[in-house]
Amino acid sequence: MKQYVYADNAATTKMDKVAYDAMTPFLLDEYGNASQPYAFAREPKKALQEAREIIASCIGAMPNEIYFTSGGTESDNWVIKAASNTNGIKSRIVTSAFEHHAVLHSCVALERENHRVSYVLPSAEGEVLPGTLKAQLDSEVALVSVMMVNNEVGTIQPIEELCELAHAKGALFHTDAVQAVGHMDINVRDLNIDYLSASAHKFNGMKGCGFLFMKNGCELTAYADGGSQEKGYRAGTENVAGIIAMAAALKNNCDHLKENRRHILQLEDALLSKLTGTGIAYTRNGGKNTLPGIISLSFPHADGEAILHRMDLMGVCISTGSACNSQDTEVSHVLKAIGLDEDLAKGTIRISLGKYNTMDDIDKIVRGLQKILG
């Protein structure tokens, strides 16, 4: 098998061995349906509760505030579409113009049903400024949804301040934390958020598994009707193995958060230093307050799509923007939202580093970019 340098960790991550080992027994031996009353179901049922407790402890939540889903997209859809109908006469939703499409397309679906949605533009540095959000808030806003970390430029948002502004107007607050969970300290109590979406495959868990945090006292209409799983909010037999792997992966990342961050920052610093040393002209997007490892680079008069394909031929995996929109060759909506010059936007790539990357990977990435752009 060809050996790739994988530098697209914001798209998905390698599963941790500890997560794989944790899930295997629930695929081969303890495969019972956790909803059944007999003894063979006890171990899966117990494991689900333990996973709920582990995940809750990692984000400062209570176990009964964690709801298992198929991932961030489902969690986002659930909150955006359900919360608009659960806050009395309030009907308007406020979000940012550079959210993940799971949020934006959910909002478009609501607009087709005559719900009102307002889109806040981020700053040129990729930050949703509190003053900009405040100008959009009034007593008719039902929900504010702003992502914790932008998936393309990596900017960390001032969630606590934004949430406070939303609550001051009686609105609920949701954050798509898919790029943040497992990679930075998160305490939902300190942030005072109402809903949080997460996806296991972004923090070294299994694809097709995620969770939604819903603060006690908040309500949503059911996502799926059927059985009584997830307290009746999301019917369907649980993905026990995936949930066990998700909990193990999240705990592993949270237990090693500082050392992972330090390692990734060292790689990021080396990448930027070596790239600067080549003399290649570039601009980094996202401002100074970015999540370590998410690096959006714009090269003047270049073609990001061509860079991606030539790097791929060299065995290096990167992205030109949101991996969830890989069929669209137009300028990314994120880069448009921050007002990036069109020439720079067309020459933009995203390199996203993870804990499994090495200094050798950095050298290969820089050599590849130098060969293409030097």
Side-chain angles (χ1 to χ4, degrees):
M1 180 179 175
K2 184 176 181 179
Q3 293 300 305
Y4 280 91
V5 171
Y6 185 73
D8 198 20
N9 288 274
T12 196
T13 56
K14 176 183 177 180
M15 180 181 276
D16 281 336
K17 181 67 160 54
V18 66
Y20 177 80
D21 288 344
M23 75 183 288
T24 303
F26 295 91
L27 293 170
L28 301 177
D29 301 314
E30 300 290 349
Y31 53 85
N33 187 325
S35 298
Q36 294 298 95
Y38 42 66
F40 189 53
R42 289 176 190 163
E43 194 60 32
K45 186 180 299 184
K46 177 184 175 185
L48 283 178
Q49 181 56 29
E50 290 175 350
R52 211 180 298 273
E53 292 169 359
I54 289 169
I55 290 168
S57 69
C58 288
I59 62 168
M62 298 293 292
N64 67 349
E65 296 174 313
I66 303 300
Y67 297 83
F68 299 130
T69 69
S70 67
T73 293
E74 179 186 314
S75 298
D76 287 345
N77 270 258
W78 186 7
V79 174
I80 298 296
K81 294 175 180 176
S84 62
N85 296 315
T86 58
N87 204 4
I89 63 171
K90 296 171 179 285
S91 60
R92 192 157 65 92
I93 291 175
V94 178
T95 189
S96 84
F98 74 162
E99 295 293 308
H100 189 278
H101 281 130
V103 168
L104 293 180
H105 288 174
S106 293
C107 287
V108 169
L110 287 177
E111 288 182 293
R112 288 197 293 265
E113 298 175 1
N114 297 318
H115 287 276
R116 291 175 296 149
V117 182
S118 298
Y119 299 91
V120 175
L121 282 174
S123 70
E125 287 73 38
E127 183 178 343
V128 177
L129 299 173
T132 308
L133 175 65
K134 186 176 182 180
Q136 291 287 341
L137 299 178
D138 58 31
S139 59
E140 294 185 349
V141 176
L143 179 75
V144 174
S145 181
V146 177
M147 65 201 326
M148 192 168 288
V149 172
N150 184 269
N151 55 304
E152 289 193 37
V153 296
T155 316
I156 300 171
Q157 305 303 320
I159 294 299
E160 187 174 359
E161 295 174 70
L162 301 178
C163 183
E164 185 177 347
L165 290 172
H167 286 166
K169 290 295 184 179
L172 297 170
F173 191 91
H174 164 254
T175 185
D176 176 339
V178 166
Q179 291 294 346
V181 172
H183 303 290
M184 58 185 282
D185 284 315
I186 296 173
N187 187 299
V188 293
R189 289 285 173 270
D190 292 343
L191 296 173
N192 199 26
I193 56 181
D194 301 298
Y195 308 102
L196 175 148
S197 303
S199 196
H201 76 104
K202 302 289 188 174
F203 52 80
N204 309 99
M206 181 180 176
K207 296 177 183 66
C209 193
F211 68 87
L212 173 69
F213 159 78
M214 177 165 58
K215 184 167 68 176
N216 284 332
C218 293
E219 288 291 331
L220 291 174
T221 54
Y223 183 81
D225 297 311
S228 60
Q229 293 89 354
E230 301 308 296
K231 295 191 288 188
Y233 280 105
R234 186 184 185 271
T237 302
E238 301 92 344
N239 177 6
V240 177
I243 290 166
I244 302 310
M246 173 168 63
L250 182 55
K251 185 176 188 306
N252 187 45
N253 269 11
C254 289
D255 286 348
H256 299 93
L257 206 58
K258 289 183 179 179
E259 61 192 82
N260 289 343
R261 179 185 177 89
R262 184 166 55 247
H263 172 65
I264 294 169
L265 273 174
Q266 287 174 345
L267 296 178
E268 181 179 298
D269 290 344
L271 172 65
L272 296 175
S273 176
K274 290 173 185 289
L275 186 58
T276 300
T278 66
I280 296 170
Y282 72 89
T283 300
R284 182 177 183 180
N285 307 305
K288 295 182 179 179
N289 189 26
T290 55
L291 186 74
I294 299 183
I295 308 164
S296 174
L297 302 175
S298 296
F299 301 95
H301 317 305
D303 184 334
E305 196 76 17
I307 295 172
L308 180 151
H309 290 299
R310 290 191 64 184
M311 291 289 278
D312 184 33
L313 291 173
M314 298 178 199
V316 179
C317 301
I318 59 170
S319 173
T320 54
S322 176
C324 301
N325 196 28
S326 59
Q327 299 302 312
D328 188 352
T329 57
E330 293 182 1
V331 172
S332 153
H333 73 284
V334 170
L335 302 181
K336 285 181 179 178
I338 64 174
L340 192 65
D341 176 83
E342 187 174 352
D343 177 65
L344 285 176
K346 288 181 177 178
T348 299
I349 62 171
R350 181 189 67 184
I351 298 169
S352 47
L353 305 171
K355 62 185 181 182
Y356 291 117
N357 285 116
T358 66
M359 282 295 178
D360 282 345
D361 293 343
I362 300 302
D363 289 336
K364 291 174 183 176
I365 292 169
V366 174
R367 283 200 302 270
L369 292 174
Q370 188 172 22
K371 186 174 181 179
I372 297 167
L373 298 163

